[in-house]
Coordinates of all heavy atoms in Angstrom, one line a residue:
M1 N 101.2 95.8 72.7 CA 100.7 96.2 74.0 C 101.6 95.6 75.1 O 102.0 94.4 75.0 CB 99.3 95.7 74.2 CG 98.7 96.2 75.6 SD 97.0 95.6 75.8 CE 96.1 96.6 74.8
T2 N 102.1 96.3 76.0 CA 102.9 95.8 77.1 C 102.1 95.1 78.2 O 100.9 95.4 78.3 CB 103.8 96.9 77.7 OG1 102.9 97.7 78.4 CG2 104.6 97.7 76.7
K3 N 102.7 94.3 79.0 CA 102.1 93.7 80.1 C 101.5 94.8 81.1 O 100.5 94.6 81.6 CB 103.0 92.8 80.9 CG 103.3 91.5 80.2 CD 104.2 90.6 81.1 CE 104.8 89.5 80.3 NZ 105.9 88.9 81.0
A4 N 102.3 95.8 81.2 CA 101.9 96.9 82.2 C 100.6 97.5 81.7 O 99.7 97.8 82.6 CB 102.9 98.0 82.2
Q5 N 100.3 97.6 80.4 CA 99.1 98.2 79.9 C 97.9 97.3 80.1 O 96.8 97.8 80.1 CB 99.2 98.6 78.4 CG 100.1 99.8 78.2 CD 100.4 99.9 76.7 OE1 100.6 99.0 76.0 NE2 100.4 101.2 76.3
S6 N 98.2 96.0 80.3 CA 97.0 95.0 80.4 C 96.5 95.0 81.8 O 95.6 94.3 82.1 CB 97.5 93.7 79.9 OG 98.3 93.1 80.9
I7 N 97.1 95.7 82.7 CA 96.6 95.7 84.1 C 95.5 96.8 84.3 O 95.7 97.9 84.0 CB 97.7 95.9 85.1 CG1 98.5 94.6 85.1 CG2 97.2 96.2 86.5 CD1 99.7 94.6 86.0
K8 N 94.4 96.3 84.9 CA 93.2 97.2 85.1 C 93.3 97.9 86.5 O 93.1 99.1 86.7 CB 91.9 96.5 84.9 CG 90.7 97.3 85.0 CD 89.5 96.4 84.7 CE 88.2 97.2 84.9 NZ 87.1 96.3 84.8
N9 N 93.6 97.0 87.5 CA 93.6 97.6 88.9 C 94.5 96.7 89.8 O 94.6 95.5 89.6 CB 92.2 97.5 89.5 CG 92.1 98.3 90.8 OD1 92.5 99.4 90.9 ND2 91.7 97.6 91.8
L10 N 95.3 97.4 90.7 CA 96.1 96.7 91.7 C 95.5 97.1 93.0 O 95.3 98.3 93.3 CB 97.5 97.2 91.5 CG 98.3 96.8 90.3 CD1 99.7 97.5 90.3 CD2 98.4 95.3 90.2
A11 N 95.4 96.1 93.9 CA 94.9 96.4 95.3 C 95.8 95.6 96.3 O 96.0 94.4 96.1 CB 93.5 96.1 95.4
L12 N 96.3 96.3 97.3 CA 97.2 95.7 98.3 C 96.3 95.4 99.5 O 95.8 96.3 100.2 CB 98.4 96.6 98.6 CG 99.3 95.9 99.7 CD1 100.1 94.8 99.0 CD2 100.3 97.0 100.2
Y13 N 96.2 94.1 99.9 CA 95.5 93.7 101.1 C 96.6 93.8 102.2 O 97.7 93.2 102.0 CB 94.9 92.4 101.0 CG 93.6 92.4 100.2 CD1 93.7 92.6 98.8 CD2 92.4 92.3 100.8 CE1 92.5 92.7 98.1 CE2 91.2 92.4 100.1 CZ 91.3 92.6 98.7 OH 90.1 92.7 98.0
H14 N 96.4 94.4 103.3 CA 97.4 94.7 104.3 C 96.8 95.1 105.6 O 95.6 95.1 105.7 CB 98.3 95.8 103.8 CG 97.7 97.2 103.9 ND1 98.2 98.2 104.7 CD2 96.5 97.7 103.5 CE1 97.4 99.2 104.7 NE2 96.4 98.9 103.9
Y15 N 97.7 95.3 106.6 CA 97.2 96.1 107.8 C 98.5 96.8 108.4 O 99.6 96.5 108.1 CB 96.5 95.3 108.8 CG 97.2 94.1 109.5 CD1 98.2 94.2 110.5 CD2 96.9 92.8 109.1 CE1 98.8 93.2 111.1 CE2 97.5 91.7 109.7 CZ 98.4 91.9 110.7 OH 99.1 90.8 111.3
Q16 N 98.2 97.9 109.1 CA 99.2 98.8 109.5 C 100.4 98.2 110.2 O 101.5 98.5 109.9 CB 98.6 100.0 110.3 CG 97.9 101.0 109.5 CD 98.8 101.6 108.4 OE1 100.0 101.9 108.6 NE2 98.2 101.8 107.2
S17 N 100.1 97.4 111.2 CA 101.2 97.0 112.1 C 102.0 95.7 111.6 O 102.9 95.3 112.2 CB 100.7 96.6 113.5 OG 99.7 95.6 113.4
C18 N 101.6 95.2 110.4 CA 102.3 94.1 109.8 C 103.6 94.6 109.2 O 103.6 95.4 108.3 CB 101.4 93.5 108.8 SG 102.3 92.4 107.6
P19 N 104.8 94.0 109.7 CA 106.1 94.5 109.2 C 106.3 94.2 107.7 O 106.9 95.0 107.0 CB 107.1 93.8 110.0 CG 106.4 92.6 110.6 CD 104.9 93.0 110.7
Y20 N 105.8 93.0 107.2 CA 106.0 92.7 105.8 C 105.1 93.6 105.0 O 105.5 94.0 103.8 CB 105.5 91.2 105.6 CG 106.2 90.2 106.4 CD1 105.7 89.8 107.6 CD2 107.5 89.8 106.0 CE1 106.4 88.9 108.4 CE2 108.2 88.9 106.8 CZ 107.7 88.4 108.0 OH 108.3 87.5 108.8
C21 N 104.0 94.1 105.5 CA 103.2 95.0 104.7 C 103.9 96.4 104.7 O 103.8 97.1 103.6 CB 101.8 95.2 105.4 SG 100.9 93.7 105.6
A22 N 104.5 96.8 105.8 CA 105.3 98.1 105.8 C 106.3 98.1 104.7 O 106.5 99.1 104.0 CB 105.8 98.3 107.2
V23 N 107.1 97.0 104.6 CA 108.2 96.9 103.6 C 107.6 97.0 102.2 O 108.1 97.7 101.3 CB 109.0 95.6 103.8 CG1 109.9 95.4 102.6 CG2 109.7 95.6 105.1
T24 N 106.5 96.3 102.0 CA 105.8 96.3 100.7 C 105.2 97.7 100.4 O 105.4 98.2 99.2 CB 104.7 95.2 100.7 OG1 105.2 94.0 101.1 CG2 104.1 95.1 99.3
R25 N 104.6 98.3 101.3 CA 104.0 99.7 101.1 C 105.1 100.6 100.7 O 105.0 101.4 99.8 CB 103.3 100.2 102.3 CG 101.9 99.5 102.6 CD 101.1 100.3 103.6 NE 101.8 100.4 104.9 CZ 101.7 99.6 105.9 NH1 100.9 98.6 105.9 NH2 102.4 99.9 107.0
R26 N 106.3 100.5 101.4 CA 107.4 101.4 101.1 C 107.9 101.2 99.7 O 108.2 102.2 99.0 CB 108.5 101.2 102.2 CG 109.5 102.4 102.3 CD 110.5 102.2 103.4 NE 109.9 101.7 104.6 CZ 110.3 100.7 105.3 NH1 111.3 99.9 104.9 NH2 109.7 100.3 106.4
A27 N 108.0 100.0 99.3 CA 108.6 99.7 98.0 C 107.6 100.3 96.9 O 108.0 100.8 95.9 CB 108.7 98.2 97.8
I28 N 106.3 100.1 97.1 CA 105.3 100.7 96.2 C 105.4 102.2 96.1 O 105.4 102.8 95.1 CB 103.9 100.2 96.6 CG1 103.7 98.7 96.4 CG2 102.8 101.0 95.9 CD1 102.4 98.1 97.0
D29 N 105.5 102.8 97.3 CA 105.6 104.3 97.4 C 106.9 104.8 96.7 O 106.8 105.8 95.9 CB 105.6 104.8 98.8 CG 104.2 104.6 99.5 OD1 103.3 104.4 98.7 OD2 104.1 104.7 100.7
Q30 N 108.0 104.1 96.9 CA 109.3 104.5 96.3 C 109.2 104.4 94.8 O 109.8 105.2 94.1 CB 110.4 103.6 96.8 CG 110.9 104.0 98.2 CD 111.9 103.0 98.8 OE1 112.1 102.0 98.2 NE2 112.4 103.4 99.9
K31 N 108.4 103.5 94.3 CA 108.3 103.3 92.8 C 107.2 104.3 92.2 O 107.1 104.4 91.0 CB 107.9 101.9 92.4 CG 109.0 100.9 92.7 CD 110.1 101.1 91.7 CE 111.3 100.2 92.0 NZ 112.5 100.5 91.2
G32 N 106.5 104.9 93.1 CA 105.5 106.0 92.7 C 104.3 105.3 92.0 O 103.7 106.0 91.2
L33 N 104.0 104.1 92.3 CA 102.8 103.4 91.7 C 101.6 103.7 92.5 O 101.6 103.8 93.7 CB 103.1 101.9 91.5 CG 104.1 101.5 90.5 CD1 104.2 100.0 90.5 CD2 103.7 102.0 89.1
T34 N 100.5 103.8 91.8 CA 99.2 103.9 92.5 C 98.6 102.6 92.7 O 98.2 101.8 91.7 CB 98.2 104.7 91.6 OG1 98.8 106.0 91.3 CG2 96.9 105.0 92.3
V35 N 98.5 102.2 94.0 CA 98.0 100.9 94.3 C 96.9 101.1 95.5 O 97.3 101.7 96.5 CB 99.1 99.9 94.8 CG1 98.5 98.6 95.2 CG2 100.1 99.7 93.7
E36 N 95.7 100.7 95.2 CA 94.7 100.9 96.2 C 95.0 100.0 97.4 O 95.5 98.9 97.3 CB 93.4 100.4 95.6 CG 92.1 100.6 96.4 CD 91.0 99.8 95.8 OE1 90.9 99.7 94.6 OE2 90.1 99.5 96.6
R37 N 94.8 100.5 98.6 CA 95.1 99.8 99.8 C 93.8 99.3 100.5 O 92.9 100.1 100.7 CB 95.9 100.6 100.8 CG 97.3 100.9 100.3 CD 98.1 101.7 101.2 NE 99.4 102.0 100.6 CZ 100.3 102.8 101.1 NH1 100.1 103.3 102.3 NH2 101.5 103.0 100.5
R38 N 93.8 98.0 100.9 CA 92.6 97.5 101.6 C 93.0 96.8 102.9 O 93.7 95.8 102.9 CB 92.0 96.4 100.7 CG 91.5 97.1 99.4 CD 90.8 96.1 98.5 NE 90.4 96.7 97.2 CZ 89.9 96.1 96.2 NH1 89.8 94.8 96.1 NH2 89.5 96.8 95.1
D39 N 92.7 97.5 104.0 CA 93.1 97.1 105.3 C 92.2 96.1 105.9 O 91.0 96.3 106.1 CB 93.1 98.4 106.3 CG 93.8 98.1 107.6 OD1 93.5 97.0 108.2 OD2 94.6 99.0 108.1
I40 N 92.7 94.9 106.1 CA 91.9 93.7 106.5 C 91.5 93.8 108.0 O 90.7 93.0 108.5 CB 92.5 92.4 106.1 CG1 93.7 92.0 107.0 CG2 92.7 92.3 104.6 CD1 94.1 90.5 106.9
Q41 N 92.2 94.6 108.8 CA 91.9 94.7 110.2 C 90.8 95.7 110.4 O 89.9 95.6 111.3 CB 93.1 95.1 111.0 CG 94.0 93.9 111.3 CD 95.1 94.3 112.3 OE1 95.5 95.4 112.5 NE2 95.7 93.2 113.0
K42 N 90.8 96.7 109.5 CA 89.8 97.8 109.7 C 88.5 97.4 108.9 O 87.4 98.0 109.2 CB 90.3 99.1 109.1 CG 91.4 99.7 110.0 CD 91.8 101.1 109.4 CE 92.9 101.7 110.3 NZ 93.7 102.7 109.7
N43 N 88.6 96.5 108.0 CA 87.4 96.2 107.1 C 87.2 94.7 107.0 O 88.0 94.0 106.4 CB 87.6 96.9 105.7 CG 86.4 96.8 104.8 OD1 85.8 95.7 104.8 ND2 86.1 97.8 104.1
R44 N 86.2 94.2 107.7 CA 85.9 92.8 107.7 C 85.6 92.2 106.3 O 86.0 91.1 106.0 CB 84.8 92.5 108.7 CG 84.4 91.0 108.8 CD 83.4 90.8 109.9 NE 84.0 91.1 111.2 CZ 84.7 90.1 111.9 NH1 84.8 88.9 111.4 NH2 85.1 90.4 113.1
E45 N 85.0 93.0 105.5 CA 84.7 92.6 104.1 C 86.0 92.3 103.3 O 86.0 91.3 102.6 CB 83.8 93.7 103.4 CG 83.1 93.2 102.2 CD 82.3 91.9 102.4 OE1 81.6 91.8 103.4 OE2 82.5 91.0 101.6
H46 N 87.0 93.1 103.5 CA 88.2 92.9 102.8 C 88.9 91.7 103.3 O 89.4 90.9 102.5 CB 89.2 94.1 103.1 CG 88.8 95.4 102.4 ND1 88.1 95.4 101.2 CD2 89.1 96.7 102.7 CE1 87.9 96.6 100.8 NE2 88.5 97.4 101.7
R47 N 88.8 91.4 104.6 CA 89.4 90.2 105.1 C 88.7 88.9 104.5 O 89.3 87.9 104.2 CB 89.3 90.2 106.7 CG 89.9 89.0 107.3 CD 89.7 88.9 108.8 NE 90.2 87.7 109.4 CZ 91.5 87.5 109.7 NH1 92.4 88.4 109.5 NH2 91.9 86.3 110.1
N48 N 87.3 89.0 104.5 CA 86.6 87.9 104.0 C 86.9 87.7 102.5 O 87.0 86.5 102.1 CB 85.1 88.2 104.1 CG 84.6 88.1 105.6 OD1 85.4 87.5 106.4 ND2 83.5 88.7 105.9
T49 N 87.0 88.7 101.7 CA 87.3 88.6 100.3 C 88.7 88.0 100.1 O 88.9 87.1 99.3 CB 87.3 90.0 99.6 OG1 86.0 90.6 99.8 CG2 87.6 89.9 98.1
L50 N 89.6 88.5 100.9 CA 91.0 87.9 100.8 C 91.0 86.4 101.1 O 91.6 85.6 100.3 CB 92.0 88.6 101.7 CG 93.4 88.1 101.9 CD1 94.1 88.2 100.5 CD2 94.1 88.8 103.0
T51 N 90.3 86.0 102.1 CA 90.3 84.6 102.5 C 89.6 83.8 101.5 O 90.1 82.7 101.1 CB 89.6 84.5 103.9 OG1 90.3 85.3 104.8 CG2 89.7 83.0 104.4
R52 N 88.4 84.2 101.0 CA 87.6 83.4 100.1 C 88.3 83.4 98.7 O 88.3 82.3 98.1 CB 86.2 84.0 100.0 CG 85.4 83.8 101.3 CD 83.9 83.9 100.9 NE 83.2 84.1 102.2 CZ 82.6 85.2 102.5 NH1 82.6 86.3 101.7 NH2 81.9 85.4 103.6
Q53 N 88.7 84.5 98.2 CA 89.1 84.6 96.8 C 90.6 84.3 96.7 O 91.1 83.7 95.7 CB 88.7 85.9 96.2 CG 87.2 86.0 96.1 CD 86.8 87.4 95.5 OE1 87.5 88.0 94.7 NE2 85.6 87.8 95.8
G54 N 91.4 84.9 97.7 CA 92.8 84.7 97.6 C 93.2 83.3 98.1 O 94.2 82.7 97.6
G55 N 92.5 82.8 99.1 CA 92.8 81.5 99.6 C 93.2 81.4 101.1 O 93.1 80.4 101.7
K56 N 93.7 82.5 101.6 CA 94.1 82.5 103.0 C 94.2 84.0 103.5 O 94.4 84.9 102.7 CB 95.5 81.8 103.2 CG 96.6 82.3 102.3 CD 97.9 81.5 102.5 CE 98.9 82.0 101.5 NZ 100.2 81.2 101.6
P57 N 94.1 84.2 104.8 CA 94.1 85.6 105.4 C 95.4 86.1 105.6 O 95.6 86.9 106.6 CB 93.3 85.4 106.7 CG 93.6 84.0 107.1 CD 93.9 83.2 105.9
Q58 N 96.4 85.8 104.8 CA 97.8 86.3 105.0 C 98.0 87.6 104.2 O 97.6 87.7 103.1 CB 98.8 85.2 104.5 CG 100.2 85.6 104.7 CD 101.2 84.5 104.2 OE1 101.2 83.4 104.7 NE2 102.0 84.9 103.3
V59 N 98.7 88.5 104.9 CA 99.0 89.8 104.3 C 100.6 90.0 104.3 O 101.2 89.4 105.2 CB 98.3 91.0 105.0 CG1 96.9 91.0 104.6 CG2 98.6 91.0 106.5
P60 N 101.2 90.7 103.4 CA 100.5 91.4 102.3 C 100.1 90.5 101.2 O 100.7 89.4 101.0 CB 101.6 92.4 101.9 CG 102.9 91.6 102.1 CD 102.6 90.9 103.4
C61 N 99.1 90.9 100.5 CA 98.7 90.1 99.3 C 98.2 91.2 98.2 O 97.5 92.1 98.5 CB 97.5 89.2 99.6 SG 97.0 88.2 98.1
L62 N 98.7 91.0 97.0 CA 98.4 91.9 95.9 C 97.4 91.3 95.0 O 97.6 90.2 94.5 CB 99.6 92.3 95.1 CG 99.5 93.4 94.1 CD1 99.2 94.7 94.7 CD2 100.8 93.5 93.2
R63 N 96.2 92.0 94.9 CA 95.2 91.5 93.9 C 95.5 92.2 92.6 O 95.5 93.4 92.5 CB 93.8 91.9 94.5 CG 92.7 91.4 93.5 CD 91.3 91.9 94.1 NE 90.2 91.4 93.3 CZ 89.8 92.0 92.2 NH1 90.3 93.1 91.7 NH2 88.7 91.5 91.5
I64 N 95.7 91.4 91.6 CA 96.1 91.9 90.3 C 94.9 91.6 89.3 O 94.6 90.5 89.1 CB 97.4 91.3 89.7 CG1 98.5 91.4 90.7 CG2 97.7 91.8 88.3 CD1 99.7 90.5 90.5
E65 N 94.2 92.7 88.9 CA 93.1 92.5 88.0 C 93.6 92.9 86.6 O 94.0 94.1 86.4 CB 91.9 93.3 88.4 CG 90.7 93.1 87.6 CD 89.5 93.9 88.1 OE1 89.6 94.6 89.1 OE2 88.5 93.9 87.4
R66 N 93.4 92.1 85.6 CA 93.8 92.3 84.2 C 92.6 92.9 83.4 O 91.5 92.8 83.8 CB 94.3 91.1 83.5 CG 95.3 90.3 84.3 CD 96.7 90.8 83.9 NE 97.7 90.1 84.7 CZ 99.0 90.4 84.8 NH1 99.5 91.4 84.0 NH2 99.9 89.7 85.5
D67 N 92.9 93.5 82.3 CA 91.9 94.1 81.5 C 90.9 93.0 81.0 O 89.8 93.3 80.7 CB 92.5 94.8 80.3 CG 92.9 96.2 80.6 OD1 92.4 96.8 81.6 OD2 93.8 96.8 79.8
N68 N 91.5 91.8 80.8 CA 90.6 90.8 80.3 C 89.7 90.1 81.4 O 89.0 89.1 81.2 CB 91.4 89.7 79.6 CG 92.4 89.0 80.6 OD1 92.3 89.2 81.8 ND2 93.3 88.2 80.0
G69 N 89.8 90.7 82.6 CA 89.0 90.2 83.7 C 89.6 89.2 84.6 O 89.1 88.9 85.7
N70 N 90.8 88.6 84.2 CA 91.5 87.7 85.1 C 92.0 88.4 86.3 O 92.4 89.5 86.3 CB 92.7 87.1 84.3 CG 92.2 86.1 83.2 OD1 91.1 85.8 83.1 ND2 93.2 85.6 82.4
V71 N 91.9 87.6 87.4 CA 92.4 88.1 88.7 C 93.4 87.2 89.3 O 93.1 86.0 89.3 CB 91.2 88.3 89.7 CG1 91.7 88.7 91.1 CG2 90.2 89.4 89.2
E72 N 94.5 87.7 89.8 CA 95.5 86.9 90.4 C 95.8 87.4 91.8 O 95.7 88.7 92.0 CB 96.8 87.1 89.5 CG 98.0 86.2 89.9 CD 99.3 86.6 89.1 OE1 99.1 87.2 88.0 OE2 100.3 86.4 89.6
W73 N 96.0 86.5 92.7 CA 96.3 86.9 94.1 C 97.7 86.6 94.4 O 98.1 85.4 94.4 CB 95.3 86.2 95.1 CG 93.9 86.6 94.8 CD1 93.0 86.1 93.9 CD2 93.1 87.6 95.6 NE1 91.8 86.7 94.0 CE2 91.9 87.6 95.0 CE3 93.5 88.4 96.6 CZ2 90.9 88.5 95.5 CZ3 92.5 89.3 97.1 CH2 91.2 89.3 96.5
L74 N 98.5 87.6 94.6 CA 100.0 87.4 94.8 C 100.3 87.6 96.2 O 100.3 88.7 96.8 CB 100.7 88.3 93.9 CG 102.3 88.2 93.8 CD1 102.7 86.9 93.3 CD2 102.8 89.3 93.0
Y75 N 100.7 86.5 96.9 CA 101.2 86.5 98.3 C 102.7 86.6 98.3 O 103.4 86.5 97.3 CB 100.8 85.2 99.0 CG 99.3 85.1 99.3 CD1 98.4 84.5 98.4 CD2 98.8 85.7 100.5 CE1 97.0 84.4 98.7 CE2 97.4 85.6 100.8 CZ 96.5 84.9 99.9 OH 95.2 84.9 100.2
E76 N 103.2 86.9 99.5 CA 104.6 87.0 99.8 C 105.2 88.4 99.4 O 105.2 88.8 98.2 CB 105.5 85.9 99.1 CG 105.2 84.5 99.7 CD 105.5 84.4 101.1 OE1 106.5 85.0 101.6 OE2 104.8 83.7 101.9
S77 N 105.7 89.1 100.4 CA 106.2 90.5 100.2 C 107.3 90.5 99.1 O 107.3 91.4 98.3 CB 106.7 91.1 101.5 OG 107.6 90.2 102.2
A78 N 108.2 89.5 99.2 CA 109.3 89.5 98.2 C 108.7 89.4 96.7 O 109.2 90.0 95.8 CB 110.3 88.4 98.5
S79 N 107.7 88.6 96.6 CA 107.1 88.4 95.2 C 106.4 89.6 94.8 O 106.4 90.0 93.6 CB 106.2 87.2 95.3 OG 106.8 86.0 95.7
I80 N 105.7 90.2 95.7 CA 105.0 91.5 95.4 C 105.9 92.6 95.0 O 105.7 93.3 94.0 CB 104.1 91.9 96.6 CG1 103.0 90.8 96.9 CG2 103.4 93.3 96.3 CD1 102.3 91.1 98.2
I81 N 107.0 92.7 95.8 CA 108.0 93.8 95.5 C 108.7 93.5 94.1 O 108.9 94.4 93.3 CB 109.0 93.9 96.6 CG1 108.4 94.4 97.9 CG2 110.2 94.8 96.2 CD1 109.2 94.3 99.1
Q82 N 109.0 92.2 93.8 CA 109.5 91.9 92.5 C 108.5 92.2 91.4 O 108.9 92.8 90.4 CB 109.8 90.4 92.5 CG 110.7 89.9 91.4 CD 110.9 88.4 91.5 OE1 110.0 87.6 91.8 NE2 112.1 88.0 91.3
F83 N 107.3 92.0 91.6 CA 106.2 92.3 90.6 C 106.2 93.8 90.4 O 106.1 94.3 89.3 CB 104.9 91.7 91.1 CG 103.7 92.2 90.2 CD1 103.4 91.4 89.1 CD2 103.0 93.3 90.5 CE1 102.4 91.8 88.3 CE2 102.0 93.7 89.7 CZ 101.6 93.0 88.6
I84 N 106.2 94.5 91.5 CA 106.1 96.0 91.4 C 107.3 96.6 90.7 O 107.1 97.5 89.8 CB 106.0 96.6 92.9 CG1 104.7 96.3 93.5 CG2 106.3 98.1 92.9 CD1 103.5 96.9 92.9
N85 N 108.5 96.1 91.0 CA 109.7 96.5 90.3 C 109.6 96.3 88.8 O 109.9 97.1 88.0 CB 110.9 95.9 90.9 CG 111.2 96.4 92.2 OD1 110.8 97.5 92.6 ND2 112.0 95.7 93.0
R86 N 109.1 95.1 88.4 CA 109.0 94.7 87.0 C 108.0 95.6 86.3 O 108.2 96.1 85.2 CB 108.6 93.2 86.9 CG 109.3 92.5 85.9 CD 109.0 91.0 85.9 NE 107.7 90.6 86.3 CZ 107.5 89.7 87.3 NH1 108.5 89.1 87.8 NH2 106.3 89.4 87.6
Q87 N 106.9 95.8 87.0 CA 105.8 96.7 86.5 C 106.3 98.1 86.2 O 106.0 98.7 85.2 CB 104.7 96.7 87.6 CG 103.4 97.0 87.1 CD 102.9 96.1 86.0 OE1 103.3 94.9 86.0 NE2 102.1 96.5 85.1
K88 N 107.0 98.6 87.2 CA 107.6 100.0 87.0 C 108.5 100.1 85.9 O 108.5 101.0 85.1 CB 108.3 100.4 88.3 CG 108.8 101.8 88.3 CD 107.7 102.8 88.2 CE 108.3 104.2 88.1 NZ 107.3 105.3 88.0
N89 N 109.4 99.0 85.7 CA 110.3 99.0 84.6 C 109.6 99.0 83.3 O 109.9 99.7 82.3 CB 111.2 97.8 84.7 CG 112.2 97.9 85.8 OD1 112.4 99.0 86.3 ND2 112.8 96.8 86.2
E90 N 108.5 98.2 83.2 CA 107.7 98.1 81.9 C 107.1 99.5 81.6 O 107.0 99.9 80.5 CB 106.7 97.0 82.0 CG 107.3 95.6 81.9 CD 106.3 94.5 82.0 OE1 105.1 94.8 82.0 OE2 106.7 93.4 82.2
L91 N 106.5 100.1 82.6 CA 105.9 101.4 82.4 C 106.9 102.4 81.9 O 106.6 103.2 81.1 CB 105.3 101.9 83.7 CG 103.9 101.2 84.1 CD1 103.5 101.6 85.5 CD2 102.8 101.6 83.1
T92 N 108.1 102.4 82.5 CA 109.1 103.3 82.1 C 109.6 103.1 80.7 O 109.7 104.1 79.9 CB 110.4 103.2 83.1 OG1 109.9 103.3 84.4 CG2 111.4 104.2 82.8
Q93 N 109.7 101.8 80.3 CA 110.1 101.5 78.9 C 109.0 101.9 77.9 O 109.3 102.3 76.8 CB 110.4 100.0 78.8 CG 111.8 99.7 79.4 CD 112.0 98.2 79.6 OE1 111.3 97.4 79.1 NE2 113.0 97.8 80.4
A94 N 107.7 101.8 78.4 CA 106.6 102.0 77.5 C 106.4 103.5 77.2 O 105.9 104.0 76.3 CB 105.3 101.4 78.0
A95 N 107.0 104.4 78.2 CA 106.7 105.8 78.1 C 107.6 106.5 77.0 O 108.5 106.0 76.5 CB 107.1 106.4 79.4
Ligands
GSH101 N1 106.6 85.4 104.2 C1 105.4 86.3 104.3 C2 105.1 86.5 105.7 C3 103.8 87.3 105.8 C4 103.2 87.2 107.3 O1 103.7 86.5 108.1 N2 102.1 88.0 107.5 C5 101.4 87.9 108.7 C6 101.2 89.3 109.3 S1 102.7 90.2 109.7 C7 100.1 87.3 108.5 O2 99.3 87.6 107.6 N3 99.8 86.2 109.3 C8 98.5 85.5 109.2 C9 98.6 84.3 108.4 O3 99.7 84.0 107.9 O4 97.6 83.7 108.3 C10 105.8 87.6 103.5 O5 107.0 88.0 103.4 O6 104.8 88.3 103.0

């Protein structure tokens, strides 16, 4: 089983006018990956969840949920884009 297959859900915490979020959204779109988007300016609950569970209200942040129930909160646009690229490569190799 590849690492790519062990991921249950990806969710990007973001907001529209954040430039780091825009770069991250574009990278995700270019890779053609399906990632749920959670806008923390439009939805207070998303902001609260990010702050409580992720640790801080900084965006972008990628919530990575594994099949085994583990959840990881990945901050920093460069790290998220690196993760997305790796993920896409693994999916391509697994196909
Ligand atoms: N180095 C970070 C910068 C992210 C950043 O500064 N995000 C701003 C919005 S554009 C933010 O969330 N600021 C609130 C905070 O850091 O608490 C990245 O590349 O993701």
